[in-house]
Amino acid sequence: MSARPLTVRTDPALGGRWTSLATPEREWLWRNPRVSAAARAGVVPGDPFVDAGGGEECLPTIGGPSDHGEVWSRPWTPDGEAATVRAGDLTLTRRLTTHDGEVRAGYTITGPPGAPLLHAVHLLLDVGPDARLEVPGRPDTLVVEWPEPCATRPATWPDGGGVPLDVLGPDDGTARCAVVATDRLDVVDGADRLRLRWAVAPGFAAPVSLVVWRNLGGWPEGAPYRSIGVEPMLGAETNLDRAVPDRLAHLDGSGRMRWWLEARASRLD
C-alpha cells in the first residue's frame, strides 16, 4: 500500500457541508442524483433533511424530531481554516487542515455547562458493492430504529440485526442503522483504502462511536435507493431525546467540548 494525498472541500453557506474528500484517483463522497443542487440550496432551519450526499455535520442530534440536527441547515461563518455555526445555545467551530496528505477536522463546541449533545460527521460514501468496512475486534453494537421505528436492539459487530454491517453487496432491500463502539474504521473498496480515526481532545471526557448506515435499497418506503454512510460520532446513540446520560457527550464545567477526526488514504501499488 502507498499513501495517497487527500483533499477536502466544504461549503460554509450550505451547512458547512463536506462536498469532496478525494485522492488524485477517486472521490470518496457520494452525491445523491435524486436531489438537485437547488433543493439543497433552498434549505432553511426547520426544514426536513435533504439527503444530497456528501458529508453533513449533525449537532446536537442525529435522529429524532430534529432530523440530522440543527447545524446542517444553517450558514456557517468562515474564518481562514475555521468555520463557525450557532444553533440554539450551542456554538460549533470546525477547523479543517491538510498536512502530509492527511485531512484533520478539529471541533470545539461551546454552550451551557453540562449541556448534553451528540455530534456526528455524516459521510455518505461512493463505494461499490464489493467494498467492506473494517472495525477491529467485535465491539458492542446498537441497532437503532429496528425492527420498528424508535426501537433499539443490542448486537455485536458485524451483526446488524440479521445483516452483516461489514460487507455491502448488491441491493437486497434491507436498511440498517447501527451505533458501533469504536474509534476507528477502514473503508476498503478495490485497491483503495480510507482510514478514519477520531477521539476527544486531551482534558475532555465523552464516549465516541461510529454510526453505520447500510441502505441497500431498503429506504425510504415507496421510493428506496442505495446509500452507504459512515459517521464518526461524539456520543453513542443517534437520538438525543432517547439516549441515557452515559451515551451522550456533555459540555464540561466551563461549557466546552473538543474532539477531532482524521482521514488518510492509501492505494495498492
Side-chain angles (χ1 to χ4, degrees):
M1 300 290 289
S2 59
R4 303 302 298 141
L6 268 179
T7 58
V8 62
R9 295 198 306 270
T10 64
D11 190 340
L14 296 184
R17 180 168 170 253
W18 298 49
T19 57
S20 176
L21 184 64
T23 67
E25 293 80 20
R26 66 171 297 158
E27 173 61 64
W28 279 100
L29 297 184
W30 173 79
R31 294 173 179 81
N32 190 345
R34 300 186 179 196
V35 175
S36 69
R40 181 62 180 84
V43 167
V44 297
D47 281 355
F49 182 64
V50 175
D51 189 19
E56 304 280 12
E57 302 281 354
C58 302
L59 176 85
T61 187
I62 296 93
S66 178
D67 190 15
H68 290 75
E70 301 287 348
V71 301
W72 71 272
S73 59
R74 299 172 186 272
W76 293 37
T77 301
D79 181 12
E81 296 174 338
T84 299
V85 63
R86 182 174 177 85
D89 292 333
L90 299 178
T91 298
L92 171 65
T93 299
R94 178 185 65 198
R95 183 175 297 276
L96 268 176
T97 56
T98 304
H99 180 68
D100 286 342
E102 177 182 88
V103 170
R104 180 182 175 96
Y107 295 98
T108 301
I109 307 165
T110 59
L117 59 93
L118 300 166
H119 179 204
V121 187
H122 178 284
L123 303 174
L124 289 170
L125 300 178
D126 187 2
V127 292
D130 293 328
R132 66 184 189 272
L133 307 180
E134 294 185 351
V135 169
R138 292 177 57 82
D140 290 342
T141 299
L142 185 68
V143 185
V144 300
E145 313 304 332
W146 185 84
E148 61 267 334
C150 301
T152 63
R153 175 178 170 174
T156 302
W157 177 267
D159 177 35
V163 301
L165 296 171
D166 59 336
V167 294
L168 303 180
D171 290 359
D172 60 8
T174 63
R176 293 288 192 275
C177 183
V179 181
V180 187
T182 187
D183 61 359
R184 60 196 58 211
L185 168 72
D186 280 21
V187 182
V188 181
D189 188 23
D192 296 303
R193 180 179 293 264
L194 178 68
R195 191 191 78 177
L196 302 175
R197 302 290 186 267
W198 59 98
V200 295
F204 295 87
V208 295
S209 59
L210 169 72
V211 176
V212 174
W213 170 239
R214 181 184 182 273
N215 174 26
L216 304 186
W219 181 92
E221 186 176 351
Y225 57 91
R226 182 186 182 94
S227 58
I228 305 299
V230 297
E231 307 176 35
M233 183 169 67
L234 179 67
E237 240 278 20
T238 60
N239 190 321
L240 181 67
D241 296 335
R242 179 178 61 205
V244 297
D246 65 357
R247 296 187 76 90
L248 297 171
H250 297 263
L251 300 187
D252 68 8
S254 64
R256 299 176 72 240
M257 171 61 67
R258 294 178 57 221
W259 72 292
W260 54 263
L261 165 65
E262 292 179 346
R264 283 187 177 271
S266 57
R267 187 175 176 87
L268 286 173
D269 297 328

